Amino acid sequence: MDGTIKDPIQHCIRNRLWNELPELLAKLHPADIADIIEHSPENDQPLIFDLLSDELKADVLSEMADSTEAEILQDLTPEEISDIVEEMEPD
């Protein structure tokens, strides 16, 4: 991921400009989004994840470290988890 996209994303996270993030994140590969979430402050991780579409959430979850994935899933309702699982590709 290059700085031309990473810098604006970090700016939005630092300044809590949540409404600007979805468009920026949608341009990235799920692994890059997972990396951004994993390196964000813990309190912001669920907020950033929640900005993603269910389809993108499924792809990003599959790229996350197990510990971050567990933290994210703890903040979701069973219905939200079900919606994400429906979007996941079978192994």
Side-chain angles (χ1 to χ4, degrees):
M1 175 173 39
D2 65 34
T4 59
I5 192 73
K6 187 177 181 182
D7 292 342
I9 289 172
Q10 289 176 338
H11 170 78
C12 289
I13 293 169
R14 275 193 309 275
N15 294 292
R16 305 182 75 69
L17 303 172
W18 306 126
N19 60 332
E20 296 180 26
L21 271 178
E23 184 179 335
L24 295 171
L25 293 173
K27 298 175 184 178
L28 300 178
H29 186 276
D32 292 328
I33 298 171
D35 187 58
I36 288 168
I37 292 172
E38 289 171 349
H39 289 93
S40 296
E42 281 189 38
N43 291 342
D44 292 342
Q45 291 175 356
L47 297 170
I48 298 166
F49 186 78
D50 196 46
L51 296 172
L52 306 174
S53 68
D54 285 345
E55 182 178 341
L56 193 50
K57 285 177 182 176
D59 293 337
V60 170
L61 269 179
S62 69
E63 299 288 346
M64 283 185 175
D66 291 342
S67 59
T68 305
E69 180 180 343
E71 289 292 323
I72 294 290
L73 291 174
Q74 283 181 347
D75 291 333
L76 300 177
T77 65
E79 183 179 321
E80 290 171 318
I81 293 170
S82 175
D83 290 345
I84 294 168
V85 169
E86 287 178 11
E87 295 295 334
M88 291 183 137
E89 295 287 329
D91 284 341

